[in-house]
Amino acid sequence: MSKVCEICGKGRSAGKNVSHSNRHTVRSFNANVHKMKLDIDGQVKSVYVCTRCKRTLNKEI
């Protein structure tokens, strides 16, 4: 499963875990994407959409 939003392009970002002893290790934050069926150019396609874009799409409908 591709963790990238088809509309805005939001994807994986990087950060660090910081322990109590202040050691830093690299970690990743995945985008909260859901599979949706959208009408694109008259065809229904199944695409991955982040929750922010999903809320915007529901608002426009």
Side-chain angles (χ1 to χ4, degrees):
M1 172 171 141
S2 177
K3 301 274 187 179
V4 177
C5 177
E6 294 285 331
I7 296 172
C8 67
K10 185 187 290 186
R12 180 181 294 198
S13 62
K16 293 191 168 130
N17 284 330
V18 182
S19 69
H20 183 65
S21 63
N22 208 27
R23 287 180 60 94
H24 291 63
T25 55
V26 178
R27 62 158 293 179
S28 63
F29 296 92
N30 292 323
N32 188 9
V33 293
H34 294 230
K35 192 178 258 191
M36 263 184 92
K37 291 185 180 180
L38 294 177
D39 185 23
I40 301 171
D41 298 331
Q43 295 179 350
V44 177
K45 293 187 178 180
S46 181
V47 295
Y48 289 105
V49 179
C50 70
T51 52
R52 176 65 57 174
C53 292
K54 191 173 177 179
R55 286 174 59 188
T56 305
L57 287 171
N58 288 334
K59 186 175 172 182
E60 291 173 357
I61 293 175

